[in-house]
Structures are given as structure tokens and as C-alpha cells.
Amino acid sequence: GGDTLRPGAGAMSSAMKYGLVGDSSLYTKRNNKKKSYISTVLRDTYRFANLTERIFPGGGVRDLISYLKTGPELDVLGVSYFGNEHTLRAMDVKIHGKYWQDVFRWCRKVAGRVVFFIGGYAAKYTYGRVYDENLNIIKRWIKDAGFQVVEARQEVSRWELAADKLHFSVECLPELAAFWSQLLMPRKFVRPGKRKERLEPDASPEIPLVKKARKDPRDKWLLPAYQKSVPRTPAPRPPSPDSDGESSDDWTKGQERAARLERDKKKLND
């Protein structure tokens, strides 16, 4: 049946219960308005056999709470929220703050791990600045509650919108699915400072040092937005022995003085 898994890569994902919940950012659209779902590619290509999904197009935080109250218990839950309810005016922080506290309370009850994807930004959808301000507040709430929140600005800016300028184009579907696959089930990653070639089978294992926390590859998506490190100012080059002007100058002056004294002595003796 559809849940039968071919042996191999999908074995791990078949044992885990995954959930994907959110607004219309979880599907793409063709020019004929036909929808193509990220979950379909996750099941077919990435072998997430045990994946449940709930989409509420145009919905918001209250739909999310309703789902969490009645939905299944999960090992991993992915939430895609693009703030449909916050595009026009500043949100009522007191009311929505309570809603989001409800979301966090239910997330802790029903899921082992939760990752939020909040990728919308005003320039992408030609909304006003208030949209960014609202979503920034929500992202901060999620982070303060101890959950992982991803904005993936670089990726979202690259993913094209469909003709309606609201939904992702079907052209982005493979990348969106790969992105969600990585969020839900991170693959093995290279420790910072280690080069990839050290992972090759023939490479001799290094003597382990004190165990350090591994860096998650998704950190580049986490808030605050990923920033390139500031280039360090190169240290001034040490002067070469030949260019040590001051000391060689003193030495030359000393030699000239000694030579003059010798000449003066000879004149006196003559």
C-alpha cells in the first residue's frame, strides 16, 4: 500500500510520526491555479511515510490552536505560518500574545520537537512595514518560548511566486520539499572547523578532543537573520630586517662618527 516503504533511506522516517500544519505556504500553484503539495513530495521522494498534514488556507493562529487541541501526538511537528491575519494593521499584542502562549502550551503537549517556519516579509508580497513588525514580534515570542524558528530569508527571496503573487510557484516545489525535509529530519552534518573531506571513508579518524556541542546546519536559517562575519583588519606586516630604517641609520651614523674620529686622530699625530 501507500505506507509500504522501500528498504533503505526511509527506514528512520517511517518509525517517527511527523506533522505538517500551516497556511497556504505549504503548497504551490501552477498558472492554471492547480495546487501541488509539499507533503506529496516529502512522502514520495523523501519517504516521510508517517506524515500527517493540515492546511488552513488564509488561516491564522486560532486555526493552529484548534488543530493542536484535536490533532495527533507527534515526534516532530513543522508549523508554516506566514501571518495572513497581520498584513494590514498592527496586531493587538495583548490578545495575540495570549493566543501564541496557547500555541506553545499545546505544542509542548503534543510534539517532541517543533520547528516554526515564518518566512514572509513585506517586500516579497508588497505589503507595508507593519507586516514585518507584526511577524518580528511573533518570531521573538517563539524564540523566547524556547522553540526553533526559521525565516530562511535568502531562500524565500529566491523562491518565485505564482501568477497570483501570493502563493509559491510550482517551480519551487522541489526546493521547498528539500527545505522541509531538512527542517523535519536534519541529515548528518560537518562540525564547524572540520573540512568535508575528513568525512571520507578512507580518512583516518581524529583523536576526539573535549566533546563540543555540534552546530546545527539549520542555524543559518535561525533568527537573527544570518549575517556574514565582518572581515578582520589584517595585522600590519612586521618590518623585514632590511627595512629597519631607524636601527640601520643609527648604526651608519655610528660608523661615520668612528671614521671621523680616526681621521682626526691621524691629523693630530701628523
Side-chain angles (χ1 to χ4, degrees):
D3 290 339
T4 306
L5 217 74
R6 293 185 301 278
M12 184 170 143
S13 60
S14 67
M16 304 273 284
K17 291 180 181 175
Y18 293 89
L20 207 51
V21 58
D23 49 36
S24 56
S25 55
L26 285 175
Y27 59 74
T28 63
K29 274 194 173 182
R30 299 174 185 273
N31 288 338
N32 62 6
K33 298 186 181 178
K34 186 183 175 185
K35 299 171 185 174
S36 297
Y37 294 86
I38 293 168
S39 59
T40 305
V41 185
L42 286 174
R43 290 188 188 103
D44 294 349
T45 304
Y46 294 95
R47 300 184 177 186
F48 282 86
N50 221 346
L51 174 67
T52 59
E53 177 194 51
R54 176 70 61 83
I55 296 178
F56 33 85
V61 66
R62 282 168 288 189
D63 299 282
L64 181 54
I65 294 167
S66 298
Y67 168 78
L68 292 169
K69 282 181 177 178
T70 58
E73 290 193 3
L74 301 158
D75 294 299
V76 182
L77 173 65
V79 180
S80 194
Y81 177 85
F82 274 52
N84 295 298
E85 57 210 327
H86 297 306
T87 60
L88 298 176
R89 62 187 66 85
M91 70 174 162
D92 187 320
V93 173
K94 192 173 180 183
I95 290 173
H96 282 269
K98 286 179 181 175
Y99 287 150
W100 281 97
Q101 289 310 313
D102 262 1
V103 168
F104 304 145
R105 190 163 52 87
W106 281 101
C107 279
R108 291 186 188 104
K109 283 185 179 181
V110 304
R113 182 171 75 82
V114 184
V115 55
F116 290 83
F117 175 37
I118 302 191
Y121 62 97
K124 180 81 175 177
Y125 300 97
T126 62
Y127 292 144
R129 191 176 65 186
V130 71
Y131 177 64
D132 284 341
E133 290 168 353
N134 288 335
L135 289 191
N136 285 339
I137 292 168
I138 293 168
K139 283 182 272 197
R140 192 178 69 242
W141 286 341
I142 295 170
K143 198 178 178 188
D144 289 347
F147 292 101
Q148 184 185 19
V149 57
V150 165
E151 64 176 12
R153 181 64 52 89
Q154 192 176 339
E155 285 79 5
V156 176
S157 65
R158 192 174 67 242
W159 294 332
E160 289 182 19
L161 296 176
D164 62 10
K165 299 299 177 191
L166 283 175
H167 301 92
F168 288 122
S169 164
V170 71
E171 304 294 327
C172 310
L173 186 59
E175 276 199 49
L176 278 161
F179 172 76
W180 268 110
S181 167
Q182 179 68 6
L183 287 189
L184 294 173
M185 189 174 67
R187 293 177 289 281
K188 288 181 181 179
F189 46 84
V190 183
R191 285 192 183 183
K194 283 193 178 183
R195 293 183 182 175
K196 286 185 181 176
E197 57 262 25
R198 288 184 187 162
L199 295 181
E200 289 174 2
D202 297 333
S204 56
E206 293 188 328
I207 299 165
L209 302 170
V210 180
K211 206 168 186 180
K212 290 182 181 177
R214 293 189 296 175
K215 189 175 178 67
D216 193 311
R218 293 162 295 168
D219 281 354
K220 67 177 180 180
W221 297 325
L222 298 185
L223 298 179
Y226 177 71
Q227 294 175 347
K228 290 182 180 175
S229 57
V230 180
R232 288 180 298 175
T233 309
R237 287 176 59 190
S240 63
D242 296 340
S243 65
D244 196 352
E246 194 179 343
S247 57
S248 64
D249 227 33
D250 291 346
W251 184 85
T252 307
K253 284 174 186 172
Q255 291 295 309
E256 287 172 354
R257 202 177 301 116
R260 275 201 306 274
L261 286 169
E262 280 298 316
R263 285 197 300 274
D264 292 344
K265 275 182 189 175
K266 280 184 180 180
K267 281 179 186 176
L268 286 170
N269 292 336
D270 290 346

